[in-house]
């Protein structure tokens, strides 16, 4: 017994997910060699997206399901497979034979004979179907294929016929089933089309197929002919959910004990019942189905992302998330449902229990991420649909679908679904075009990289010595006697110039570069590490008797290691040169690289083993590590990570490298980076018991040489991807010393002992707050006095109180407050006040409510007129307005102008 193969279809690059029970056995049919076993029976977890649109709408479609199957690889064949299937269905499951129908491939006389003559199924219940329904494969143009035969249950049996059959017990009597022990099975009135000739293969849902027996007996050749296989096989598939529906007498798979508990819990959380039919029931079904798929996928360590499998999971989660909202959820809820999946399935799949917390956390983080954009996206969608409906359009353009995808993260199938609910079509071809446009734009951006590689392959090289080249010797040696094989000027224009004789200063008559020039060169062997795997290149120099070259960069180009450098002395010559790697950069780089491995290891032990390296930079002054994780690690988690790395440093563990085959390394548990290409022979770096990575970089010999590890920053760089920057060795020490100095400077500044710093700083902050409060209070008191003064000096112009005054106030806010008081006290009044604050003029005009009702004057106009005088502008509402200007000397004139303006209006 083995556990179910993972959902993430491992060995098969053509598949995203394991979509059927036979996936893991594929090769057993076409293999010619000896097999470890020739029979198998399995329960396989599967994830299939081909039926996505039907999920929740029909009684029988899923994304996630379990498939039961029995397999033969050149062992038993059709006769046994059919005999045993019938025995299992009628004797073990005890389904009523009267309700069973079968189908065979139209040309498969052998199968028909077995069903009719061997089993005794009446001819009328053995239905012939064509290529489309009853012939399986091949998956590609050529390959293993064969006919199949399916077993169906009639969900709406004719009662009269059933009664007649029971009396005569015709045809099936040999099954010997005690009628009292028969499993009832669901009867769903009205599910069929009601036509007299309705039978398996009909478009209606009356006949539910629950077991497909596939007979892989042919190999389809290039020319389309079918060759008989030496190893004829059997591959059967029975959906556990459909079987549960039949045995439990339910009318849909969603009512079985596999899925019903999820819907029950959903109703509890939503505090409502979901009606039996209609779109809400579809939503509940979709949520139940998707939740199960997500729980299983997350348990395997898959994460939502924008690539391949991860994107499928993201789509499923977003579809479910939206559905659960339409059912009334106001907050993320799916993460509370995944536990139900665990409870229902944990006996068969213990990984669900182990990962229970993790599944819920990943689900919640992704739900919350989607929440943020969902409302905006839905609003945008409604806006678009509103416009379309107003213009009588029936189609959402590709551009719209793309915007929703690109800006709001709406998977196109989600948009499509929402559009369909509103009776609209979507332009999926147009969407693809938009996607293609974006891809092209991204490519154009990365083109300069390609240019750089191309430049390396041009032919302007000068050969100085012959023989092999570019052998890397730098793991063990930092100094080496080397020969230059080829060189060229780094700037192609310089080479052309030299050829025309113009660059006589830089190149001598023989075309050799002379001091001061930047060149590129290839060596017979090199101790310099070329930029690769995120690690920057080594620096150093080449020294011969007559010349010195400073090495500033090293890159790989095809099979060659190309060094870039500056000729600092003499001319370029074949050598031998003494190549010396600069230890001052090599050592810090090595420290950072070893620390990167330790960090990777520590992150996995602290945050969980779903953490994967998503990118890395190993430089001399720092390291940067990108990794997958669904949320920001807490401060204490980060501290734990930092401590874990430093403990490994203190343990002073030996860093071992060895070369082995890729398969050996993976079997030994080494971490390979996803998306990296590895050759047959790989180098693996092992540090202690837990860290083992395929890696070509340079490392320190023992972890103790890392010195100290210090995390400098942690941030998000994309959804589900995070970044840590850290330093080691002397850089870490420098930072710590710097922190100490800053601390001391602060102590010096506030006084007292170092230990009292925090308390003193707190006191200072508090004191400042108090001062501010007091000064604000003083300002207010002063402002109140100013208002009193203004009120007492108000003119009376035929019943209207008119104010114009220069005031002493510290801010726009104070002016506003004064304005409010003035308006209250002078309902039939108006005026303008002004202050100079920091050299600038602030103005405020107001009109009291009862004067405002007379519609003679508006505050906005007053402020604008007055502001003109001080060289500024402004405006506002009719009851109150503010303005500003820079000419402080004109304030009095501005106030007078404002007063005149009001006077004219109220006369
Ligand atoms: Zn029908
Ligand atoms: Zn590495």
């Amino acid at each position: 017994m083995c556990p179910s193969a993972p959902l993430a279809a491992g060995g098969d690059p053509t598949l995203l997910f394991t979509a059927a029970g036979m996936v893991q056995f594929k090769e057993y049919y076409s293999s010619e060699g000896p097999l470890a076993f020739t029979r198998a029976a399995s329960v396989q977890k599967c994830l299939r997206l081909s039926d996505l649109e039907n999920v929740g709408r029909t009684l029988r479609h899923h994304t996630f399901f379990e498939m039961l199957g029995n397999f033969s690889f050149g062992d038993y064949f059709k006769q046994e497979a059919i005999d045993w299937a019938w025995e299992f269905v009628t004797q073990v499951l005890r389904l009523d034979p009267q309700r069973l129908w079968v189908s065979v491939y139209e040309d498969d006389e052998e199968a028909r004979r077995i069903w009719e003559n061997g089993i005794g199924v009446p001819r009328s219940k053995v239905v012939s179907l064509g290529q489309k329904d009853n012939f399986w494969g091949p998956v590609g143009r050529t390959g293993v294929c064969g006919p199949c035969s399916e077993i169906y249950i009639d969900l709406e049996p004719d009662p009269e016929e059933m009664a007649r059959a029971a009396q005569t017990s015709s045809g099936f009597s040999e099954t010997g089933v005690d009628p009292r022990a028969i499993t009832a099975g669901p009867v769903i009135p009205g599910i069929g089309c009601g036509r007299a000739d309705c039978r398996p293969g009909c478009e209606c849902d009356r006949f539910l197929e629950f077991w497909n027996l596939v007979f892989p007996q042919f190999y389809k050749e290039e020319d389309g002919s079918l060759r008989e296989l030496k190893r004829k096989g059997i591959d059967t598939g029975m959906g556990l959910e459909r079987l549960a529906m039949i045995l439990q007498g339910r009318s849909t798979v969603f009512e079985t004990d596999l899925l019903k508990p999820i819907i029950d819990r959903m109703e509890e959380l939503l505090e409502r019942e979901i009606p039996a039919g209609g779109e809400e029931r579809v939503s509940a079904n979709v949520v139940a189905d998707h939740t199960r798929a997500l729980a299983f996928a997350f348990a395997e360590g898959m994460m939502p992302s924008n690539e391949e499998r991860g994107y499928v999971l993201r789509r499923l989660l977003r579809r479910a998330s939206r559905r659960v909202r339409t059912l009334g959820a106001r907050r993320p809820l799916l993460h509370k449902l995944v536990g139900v999946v665990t409870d229902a399935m944990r006996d068969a799949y213990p990984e669900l229990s182990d990962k229970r917390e993790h599944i819920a956390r990943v689900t919640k983080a992704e739900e919350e991420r989607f929440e943020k954009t969902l409302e905006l996206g839905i609003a945008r969608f409604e806006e678009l649909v509103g416009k379309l409906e107003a213009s009588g359009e029936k189609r959402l353009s590709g551009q719209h679908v793309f915007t929703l995808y690109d800006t709001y993260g709406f998977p196109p199938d989600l948009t499509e679904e929402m559009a369909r609910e509103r009776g609209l079509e979507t332009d999926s071809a147009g969407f693809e075009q938009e996607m293609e446009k974006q891809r092209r734009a991204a490519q154009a951006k990365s083109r300069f990289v390609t240019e750089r590689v191309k430049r390396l392959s041009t032919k302007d090289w000068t050969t100085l010595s012959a023989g092999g080249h570019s052998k890397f010797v730098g793991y063990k040696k930092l100094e080496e006697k080397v020969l230059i094989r080829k060189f060229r000027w780094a700037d192609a224009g310089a080479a052309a110039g030299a050829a025309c004789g113009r660059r006589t200063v830089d190149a001598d008559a023989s075309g050799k570069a002379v001091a001061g020039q930047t060149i590129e060169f290839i060596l017979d062997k090199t101790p310099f590490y070329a930029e690769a795997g995120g690690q920057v290149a080594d620096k150093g120099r080449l020294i011969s008797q007559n010349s010195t070259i400073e090495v500033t960069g090293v890159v790989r180009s095809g099979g060659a290691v190309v060094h870039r450098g500056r000729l600092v002395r003499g001319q370029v010559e074949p050598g031998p040169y003494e190549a010396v790697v600069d230890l001052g950069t090599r050592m810090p780089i090595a420290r950072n690289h070893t620390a990167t491995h330790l960090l990777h290891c520590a992150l996995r032990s602290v945050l969980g083993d779903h953490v994967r390296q998503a990118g890395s930079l190993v430089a001399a002054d720092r390291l940067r590590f990108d990794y997958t994780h669904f949320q920001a690690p807490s401060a204490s988690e980060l501290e734990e990570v930092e401590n874990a790395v430093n403990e490994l440093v203190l343990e002073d563990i030996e860093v071992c490298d060895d070369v082995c085959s890729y398969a050996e390394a993976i079997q030994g548990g080494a971490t390979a980076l996803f998306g990296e290409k590895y050759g047959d022979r790989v180098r693996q770096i092992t540090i202690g018991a837990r860290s083992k990575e395929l890696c070509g970089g340079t490392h320190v010999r023992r972890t103790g040489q890392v010195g100290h590890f210090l995390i400098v920053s942690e941030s998000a760089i994309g959804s589900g991807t995070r970044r840590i920057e850290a330093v080691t060795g002397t850089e870490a020490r420098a930072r710590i010393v710097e922190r100490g100095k800053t601390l001391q400077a602060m102590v010096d500044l506030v006084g007292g002992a170092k230990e009292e710093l925090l308390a003193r700083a707190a006191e200072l902050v508090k004191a400042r707050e108090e001062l501010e409060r007091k000064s604000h209070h003083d300002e207010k008191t002063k402002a109140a006095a100013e208002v009193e003064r203004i009120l007492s000096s108000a003119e009376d112009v035929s019943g209207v109180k008119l104010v114009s005054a220069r005031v002493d106030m510290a801010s726009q806010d104070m002016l506003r407050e004064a304005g409010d008081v003035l308006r209250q006290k002078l309902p039939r009044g108006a005026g303008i006040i002004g202050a100079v604050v920091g050299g600038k003029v602030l103005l405020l005009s107001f009109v009291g409510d009862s004067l405002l009702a007379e519609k003679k004057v508006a505050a906005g106009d007053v402020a604008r007129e007055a502001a003109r005088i001080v060289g500024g502008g402004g405006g506002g509402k009719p009851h109150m307005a503010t303005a500003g200007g820079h000419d402080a000397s004109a304030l009095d004139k501005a106030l007078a102008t404002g007063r005149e303006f009001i006077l004219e209006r109220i006369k």
Side-chain angles (χ1 to χ4, degrees):
M1 274 261 282
C2 304
S4 176
L7 284 177
D12 193 335
T14 60
L15 292 171
L16 279 181
F17 298 104
T18 299
M22 64 82 64
V23 166
Q24 51 171 322
F25 298 125
K26 239 180 175 177
E27 273 160 24
Y28 281 72
Y29 293 106
S30 47
S31 156
E32 305 272 324
L35 298 174
F37 51 86
T38 56
R39 293 181 178 192
S42 71
V43 182
Q44 173 64 49
K45 46 184 179 175
C46 300
L47 191 56
R48 211 182 258 188
L49 298 166
S50 49
D51 298 320
L52 196 55
E53 303 235 317
N54 288 322
V55 170
R57 298 192 179 274
T58 69
L59 55 87
R60 62 195 160 88
H61 286 105
H62 299 281
T63 55
F64 175 87
F65 59 98
E66 290 173 274
M67 192 180 261
L68 314 181
N70 55 300
F71 304 88
S72 157
F73 317 109
D75 193 310
Y76 63 84
F77 194 49
K78 221 173 276 185
Q79 178 76 50
E80 294 90 336
I82 291 176
D83 279 348
W84 295 343
W86 189 256
E87 183 187 334
F88 184 70
V89 168
T90 58
Q91 309 281 321
V92 180
L93 304 178
R94 295 185 171 276
L95 297 183
D96 182 355
Q98 304 299 338
R99 294 185 55 187
L100 299 178
W101 291 58
V102 297
S103 68
V104 294
Y105 177 53
E106 53 198 1
D107 292 341
D108 192 358
E109 275 310 312
E110 188 186 1
R112 173 172 281 279
R113 218 173 38 242
I114 298 170
W115 283 118
E116 283 182 23
N117 307 342
I119 308 281
V121 179
R123 194 175 179 84
S124 59
K125 289 192 160 182
V126 182
V127 180
S128 280
L129 294 175
Q131 186 96 16
K132 187 174 136 285
D133 294 298
N134 275 33
F135 196 89
W136 174 82
V139 175
R141 221 152 47 87
T142 64
V144 176
C145 58
C148 41
S149 178
E150 296 170 315
I151 306 179
Y152 298 79
I153 185 166
D154 185 352
L155 294 177
E156 195 181 14
D158 181 349
E160 279 175 35
E161 208 172 284
M162 290 292 285
R164 205 164 46 238
Q167 272 170 10
T168 59
S169 61
S170 65
F172 290 92
S173 52
E174 299 78 20
T175 55
V177 176
D178 176 357
R180 284 165 304 179
I182 282 178
T183 305
V187 172
I188 311 175
I191 191 158
C193 60
R195 285 204 301 263
D197 62 347
C198 181
R199 59 193 56 250
C202 179
E203 276 165 24
C204 75
D205 283 328
R206 178 176 156 191
F207 294 95
L208 176 67
E209 179 247 309
F210 63 94
W211 201 351
N212 187 6
L213 315 177
V214 184
F215 315 122
Q217 63 187 100
F218 302 116
Y219 190 94
K220 189 167 188 180
E221 303 283 3
E222 279 287 345
D223 62 5
S225 64
L226 297 176
R227 168 168 63 82
E228 286 267 340
L229 280 180
K230 240 193 285 174
R231 254 182 204 144
K232 287 183 196 169
I234 293 297
D235 156 20
T236 81
M238 174 157 52
L240 179 68
E241 290 72 15
R242 291 185 193 182
L243 193 61
M245 168 188 154
I246 294 168
L247 296 178
Q248 292 169 13
R250 306 293 170 182
S251 50
T252 79
V253 289
F254 297 100
E255 290 160 45
T256 65
D257 58 0
L258 293 167
L259 287 146
K260 182 98 183 345
I262 307 177
I263 296 176
D264 288 346
R265 178 84 181 114
M266 201 181 332
E267 289 184 322
E268 260 170 55
L269 290 168
L270 292 169
E271 295 176 345
R272 58 171 295 219
E273 248 174 67
I274 296 160
E279 198 58 31
E280 289 208 321
R281 176 53 53 175
V282 172
S283 290
N285 294 347
V286 168
V287 174
D289 171 89
H290 290 8
T291 304
R292 225 159 61 115
L294 293 167
F296 272 86
F298 294 159
E300 281 186 18
M302 288 184 244
M303 297 285 278
S305 74
N306 282 332
E307 312 287 340
E308 308 204 321
R309 284 179 190 139
Y311 185 57
V312 171
L313 302 182
R314 178 159 284 169
R315 272 167 62 198
L316 290 180
L317 189 136
R318 294 187 167 191
R319 285 169 56 100
S321 183
R322 189 191 66 92
R323 286 285 186 172
V324 85
R325 280 175 76 100
T326 65
L327 291 172
R330 285 290 147 256
R331 245 165 285 128
L333 186 125
L334 300 178
H335 65 280
K336 294 183 180 161
L337 297 177
V338 287
V340 187
V341 180
T342 313
D343 295 342
M345 313 289 281
R346 67 176 161 210
D347 291 343
Y349 300 95
E351 69 264 29
L352 288 173
S353 288
D354 301 344
K355 294 290 167 75
R356 193 187 163 110
E357 278 295 296
H358 169 75
I359 297 168
R361 281 203 303 181
V362 176
T363 307
K364 188 171 182 206
E366 183 68 12
E367 276 186 285
E368 282 170 351
R369 182 169 297 134
F370 187 42
E371 281 282 297
K372 282 186 198 147
T373 56
L374 188 64
E375 268 170 42
L376 289 172
I378 287 179
R380 177 80 183 125
F381 174 84
E382 290 299 334
E383 189 187 313
L384 288 173
V385 169
K387 272 188 202 152
L388 289 182
E389 279 170 351
S391 66
E393 280 258 13
K394 281 269 162 227
R395 190 176 166 90
L396 206 59
S397 76
Q399 169 76 54
H400 290 151
V401 180
F402 180 77
T403 306
L404 286 165
Y405 165 76
D406 199 41
T407 314
Y408 303 101
F410 276 32
D413 54 346
L414 180 62
T415 306
E416 226 165 88
E417 188 179 276
M418 287 163 56
R420 202 166 41 231
E421 287 167 10
R422 303 289 294 266
L424 294 170
E425 279 176 26
T426 48
D427 176 9
S428 32
F431 170 75
E432 283 305 325
Q433 276 168 18
E434 294 294 331
M435 284 294 281
E436 186 55 38
K437 250 192 243 168
Q438 199 195 39
R439 269 193 287 270
R440 272 202 299 272
Q443 271 166 11
K445 253 190 223 162
S446 68
R447 195 159 296 145
F448 74 93
V449 177
T450 328
E451 295 285 321
R452 189 175 129 200
V453 175
K454 247 191 224 147
R455 268 219 314 271
L456 287 173
S457 65
T458 51
K459 289 194 215 89
D460 47 12
W461 291 95
T462 308
T463 302
L464 294 184
S465 69
H469 64 86
S470 301
K471 182 176 163 43
F472 180 61
V473 297
Y475 288 134
K476 298 272 184 297
K477 296 181 180 170
L478 297 177
E479 289 178 17
E480 180 74 350
K481 277 231 170 330
V482 302
L483 296 171
I484 294 185
R485 292 297 192 212
K486 297 172 173 188
F487 88 98
R488 65 174 176 188
W489 288 283
D491 174 8
C500 303
R502 273 186 275 116
R503 283 233 168 190
T504 47
V505 182
D506 297 337
D508 71 3
S510 67
K512 279 181 186 164
V514 294
Q517 271 216 290
T518 303
I519 55 166
E520 287 175 349
F521 54 95
I522 294 169
L523 302 173
D524 59 338
K525 49 191 185 300
T526 177
F528 298 104
Y529 183 84
E531 179 184 318
Q535 181 178 330
V536 301
D538 281 332
K539 289 183 165 48
R541 43 185 52 206
L542 258 55
I543 305 158
S544 75
Q545 205 142 32
N546 307 316
S547 103
T548 302
I549 301 166
E550 206 178 76
V551 178
T552 53
V554 192
V555 293
R556 267 181 190 286
S557 171
V561 174
V562 179
H563 306 72
R564 177 181 272 255
R566 208 169 57 85
L567 189 61
V568 289
R569 181 175 64 94
Q571 297 182 342
V572 177
E573 55 181 31
Y577 282 91
E578 188 68 32
V580 183
V581 176
D582 176 16
L583 261 183
T585 50
R586 166 65 82 90
M587 271 311 287
I589 291 171
R591 279 190 202 106
N592 283 337
H593 201 144
T594 301
T596 300
H597 286 215
L598 298 178
L599 172 60
H600 190 182
C601 180
L603 281 170
R604 290 178 67 123
S605 72
V606 174
L607 301 180
D609 51 16
H610 59 275
V611 167
R612 296 269 182 283
Q613 176 168 344
S616 125
L617 170 75
V618 178
D621 60 342
R622 79 207 141 106
L623 68 93
R624 196 173 73 202
F625 189 77
D626 298 343
Y627 64 105
T628 56
H629 189 50
F630 40 84
Q631 63 186 21
S634 66
S636 71
E637 279 173 330
L638 276 182
E639 198 180 322
E640 212 182 314
V641 168
E642 199 177 76
N643 287 341
V645 173
N646 280 311
E647 264 158 39
L648 293 168
V649 170
L650 288 177
E651 281 176 42
D652 195 25
I653 308 162
E654 191 180 359
V655 179
C656 303
D657 67 332
D658 60 295
V659 173
C660 58
S661 78
Y662 179 77
E664 274 167 352
I666 296 303
Q667 267 160 24
T671 310
L673 298 185
F674 187 71
E676 282 280 326
K677 297 263 184 298
Y678 294 98
D680 270 358
R681 306 296 291 171
V682 292
R683 180 164 176 266
Q684 112 179 289
I685 298 290
T686 310
I687 309 173
R690 290 219 312 279
S691 171
K692 205 175 250 200
E693 291 190 30
L694 300 188
C695 173
T698 56
H699 287 261
V700 294
R701 287 190 308 281
R702 305 188 67 92
T703 57
Q705 289 178 291
V706 169
H708 186 75
F709 173 83
L710 189 69
I711 293 178
V712 180
S713 74
E714 202 284 340
S715 58
I717 54 167
S719 62
T721 314
R722 310 201 57 88
R723 168 171 291 177
I724 282 179
E725 293 203 291
V727 293
T728 63
T730 44
E731 186 66 33
R733 197 183 120 70
R735 300 257 184 158
I736 292 167
V737 169
E738 194 54 46
R739 285 181 190 180
K741 282 186 183 159
T742 309
L743 203 64
Q744 188 55 51
M746 282 163 71
V747 170
D748 292 347
L749 198 64
V750 303
K754 202 172 246 174
E755 292 69 32
E756 296 164 3
L757 177 62
L758 208 60
R760 287 222 160 210
E763 265 170 36
L764 282 174
V765 169
K766 210 171 146 199
R768 201 195 69 181
E769 279 169 2
E770 226 136 74
L771 273 176
E772 271 175 4
R773 235 193 323 272
K774 184 165 180 310
S775 119
H776 188 71
H777 178 82
D778 292 351
E779 287 292 336
K780 277 200 140 171
T781 319
K782 205 166 73 186
E786 285 284 85
V787 170
E788 283 308 315
R789 184 176 63 82
I790 298 164
L791 283 170
S792 65
S793 70
E795 302 172 59
D796 194 318
V797 182
S798 48
V800 175
K801 292 284 184 188
L802 183 57
V803 165
S804 89
R806 177 194 268 267
V807 294
D808 185 8
M809 286 180 193
S811 69
Q812 185 85 267
D813 283 346
M814 288 286 175
L815 280 176
R816 246 186 254 275
E817 275 178 37
D820 283 335
V821 178
L822 291 170
R823 286 191 71 246
Q824 247 169 40
K825 299 255 166 113
L826 308 173
R828 193 147 191 280
I832 180 161
I833 56 177
V836 178
V837 179
K840 289 198 170 133
V841 178
L842 297 179
L843 293 167
L844 178 129
S845 60
F846 70 93
V847 177
D849 281 337
S850 89
L851 183 61
L852 198 62
E854 296 168 29
K855 297 204 171 163
K856 287 179 177 158
V857 60
D861 299 335
V862 181
R864 201 174 310 112
E865 282 301 311
R868 239 178 245 159
I869 308 300
V870 289
K877 303 247 166 73
H879 70 284
M880 196 149 83
T882 55
H886 48 75
D887 185 1
S889 65
L891 174 56
D892 289 330
K893 192 169 170 224
L895 292 171
T897 305
R899 179 177 168 279
E900 282 303 316
F901 186 84
I902 299 169
L903 263 179
E904 294 225 339
R905 295 291 181 288
I906 58 176
K907 256 182 202 161

